Amino acid sequence: MITKDGQNYIMNTYKRYPITLKNGKGCNVYDHEGNEYLDMISGIACCPLGHSNEAIKKAIMESADGFTNISNLFYTEQQVKLAKKLVEVSGMEKCFFGNSGTEANEAALKLAIANTKKHEFIACKNAFHGRTFGSLSATWEKKYRTKFKPLVSKFKFVEYGNTNAIENTISDKTAAVIIEPIQGEAGIIVPPEDYLKEVQEICDKKGVLLIIDEVQTGNGRTGTYFEYLSHSIKPDIVTTAKGLANGLPMGVAIAKGIDFEPGDHASTFGGNSFVSSVALTTIETIFKENLMENAKNIGEYIKNEIQMLNKKSIKDIRGKGLMIGIELRKNAKEKVAEFISKKILISVVHEKTIRLLPPLIINKGEVENFISSFNEVVK
Ligand SMILES: Cc1ncc(COP(=O)(O)O)c(C=O)c1O
């Protein structure tokens, strides 16, 4: 009934999986029949603390006692505290709050144009930055773009991982380079170790801004709060969303040395006190409970265990922390249903890659459950 009504009343965007979920606890979610599933996707990297986390519930209840929105015509303690925390964690200077990853990137692109007075950008082949017009223009896949042309601004696409390509493509019209530190939707593609550092050097040398899109990699997922921090670089703008408020809608663009002028950009909902207090609780809990360390350790454990299964059908295992891609030699899409029959939720990107983005609280026992199902599903 829910599935049928969903098909009738909700637009045809996502290809949905054949179960309807009711609630969750920790790394598990439950369907309407009470079946328990191990959630190895966590809302596509949205719930670092898992489901119905006590600290998050408390923050939500306390917010409900105040107000949910008072607009950005006023400062609120929650938004200011969150901005201060994000600046402290990122080493950047100022935040703009929106409600999603695509909005965070829209803000970043507008910020770059407003501050450089230039309109050209460099993005990477296979990049995914969102689906609104600015961020869609920075997104590579033809299947997302073609129908909606003409897009905005001028984007030149270069090979991911190749610094010469960036250096040779920058012109005096380039406002910024926009890059994911690990490409997520492209199939969890990790660039060469020195790539980001070299890109930063090129951008600095040529006077071009560097935008790092941490929408998927951020919020502790790869073992540091932002992945760029593990490369000791200081971009001009960093964006994140997804896990920022443990599943509530929030995106942020954090900048250094540049700002908007009043009227350049805005968001009615962005950074409302309710979501801000949940985001602050999420960040504090990630640090307090050492979840980034857990992401590193458990991530390595998963990769090693899969490696040890020594499956011929696996072409590659890659990723960092709890952002893991297992590329099969054949299309992996049919595996989703097989995993569901074993009560495990996974996702597949780029046809052949099983993508794991579990909550950062996941423990070894839960991982062992996943590995034993994996062993049966992937022959
Ligand atoms: C790297 C990256 N940027 C931007 C986005 C867009 O985020 P949202 O779906 O919240 O608009 C995504 C979503 O998958 C992403 O992975």
Side-chain angles (χ1 to χ4, degrees):
M1 182 66 175
I2 295 175
T3 305
K4 191 134 195 43
D5 280 354
Q7 285 160 351
N8 286 339
Y9 299 118
I10 295 172
M11 282 198 195
N12 205 5
T13 50
Y14 287 83
K15 282 194 187 119
R16 296 186 196 242
Y17 297 164
I19 46 170
T20 51
L21 297 168
K22 193 172 173 211
N23 54 355
K25 183 77 197 155
C27 293
N28 294 319
V29 291
Y30 302 86
D31 66 15
H32 286 262
E33 283 75 50
N35 292 308
E36 181 179 279
Y37 301 82
L38 178 64
D39 184 3
M40 296 296 286
I41 322 172
S42 68
I44 319 185
C46 281
C47 301
L49 309 184
H51 305 285
S52 39
N53 172 280
E54 291 306 322
I56 295 293
K57 273 161 58 179
K58 188 163 171 270
I60 290 173
M61 292 315 287
E62 281 172 7
S63 301
D65 265 344
F67 38 68
T68 45
N69 201 332
I70 198 69
S71 87
N72 282 310
L73 296 173
F74 306 93
Y75 284 116
T76 62
E77 191 186 1
Q78 294 91 332
Q79 189 185 118
V80 172
K81 273 189 176 168
L82 173 63
K84 215 169 154 193
K85 186 73 183 175
L86 282 167
V87 163
E88 178 194 310
V89 168
S90 64
M92 306 290 282
E93 287 171 0
K94 281 190 166 187
C95 299
F96 169 81
F97 292 106
N99 312 285
S100 62
T102 200
E103 283 174 77
N105 286 332
E106 291 293 327
L109 298 174
K110 284 181 73 177
L111 199 49
I113 293 172
N115 282 275
T116 61
K117 313 277 184 290
K118 297 177 183 176
H119 289 78
E120 287 192 10
F121 291 90
I122 295 175
C124 289
K125 293 182 180 172
N126 295 307
F128 186 87
H129 296 291
R131 293 173 190 268
T132 49
F133 276 92
S135 59
L136 180 62
S137 306
T139 292
W140 161 255
E141 277 281 352
K142 282 202 173 51
K143 68 178 180 206
Y144 300 144
R145 298 164 56 92
T146 307
K147 243 190 222 176
F148 302 102
K149 282 184 170 178
L151 299 173
V152 295
S153 282
K154 208 166 171 199
F155 279 80
K156 292 181 178 164
F157 289 94
V158 298
E159 198 188 326
Y160 189 60
N162 180 340
T163 46
N164 286 339
I166 291 183
E167 184 148 25
N168 296 336
T169 308
I170 288 176
S171 77
D172 55 8
K173 295 196 180 117
T174 311
V177 173
I178 179 166
I179 284 188
E180 293 161 87
I182 294 174
Q183 287 189 323
E185 300 304 299
I188 318 293
I189 309 298
V190 184
E193 187 54 34
D194 291 337
Y195 179 60
L196 293 177
K197 210 166 172 40
E198 287 172 17
V199 172
Q200 155 122 67
E201 283 162 13
I202 292 167
C203 288
D204 286 351
K205 190 171 80 185
K206 301 253 183 180
V208 164
L209 299 179
L210 175 60
I211 304 169
I212 298 286
D213 177 345
E214 296 257 4
V215 169
Q216 197 164 143
T217 45
N219 314 298
R221 181 141 299 274
T222 62
T224 43
Y225 190 79
F226 290 114
E227 170 56 17
Y228 74 86
L229 295 171
S230 73
H231 298 271
S232 311
I233 63 161
K234 275 205 159 193
D236 300 283
I237 309 173
V238 177
T239 59
T240 194
K242 286 194 183 286
L244 178 58
N246 207 55
L248 294 191
M250 175 171 258
V252 66
I254 321 170
K256 161 175 68 74
I258 49 178
D259 200 346
F260 283 122
E261 285 175 17
D264 281 352
H265 199 53
S267 165
T268 298
F269 287 127
N272 65 73
S273 53
F274 172 60
V275 184
S276 291
S277 75
V278 174
L280 187 61
T281 303
T282 306
I283 300 172
E284 284 171 347
T285 311
I286 287 172
F287 278 92
K288 198 168 76 200
E289 297 187 359
N290 285 328
L291 296 182
M292 294 177 279
E293 204 49 37
N294 195 53
K296 272 191 217 161
N297 295 339
I298 299 278
E300 282 311 300
Y301 181 67
I302 294 176
K303 283 191 289 187
N304 287 339
E305 291 291 301
I306 303 259
Q307 196 81 57
M308 268 157 38
L309 295 176
N310 210 9
K311 302 265 179 188
K312 293 242 165 16
S313 56
I314 296 179
K315 188 171 171 208
D316 192 20
I317 306 165
R318 52 184 180 252
K320 205 168 165 191
L322 286 170
M323 181 175 183
I324 297 174
I326 305 156
E327 185 178 341
L328 304 187
R329 293 186 193 282
K330 288 193 183 147
N331 193 314
K333 290 208 162 150
E334 80 227 23
K335 298 290 174 208
V336 171
E338 289 181 53
F339 273 103
I340 287 177
S341 74
K342 304 266 177 214
K343 304 285 182 285
I344 309 259
L345 305 183
I346 54 128
S347 77
V348 168
V349 273
H350 249 235
E351 313 272 305
K352 292 182 180 163
T353 303
I354 293 175
R355 173 173 57 170
L356 306 178
L357 299 163
L360 306 187
I361 55 169
I362 194 165
N363 62 38
K364 271 196 179 169
E366 287 158 335
V367 167
E368 272 153 23
N369 171 14
F370 166 73
I371 301 289
S372 85
S373 295
F374 185 95
N375 193 23
E376 289 167 26
V377 170
V378 177
K379 299 283 186 297

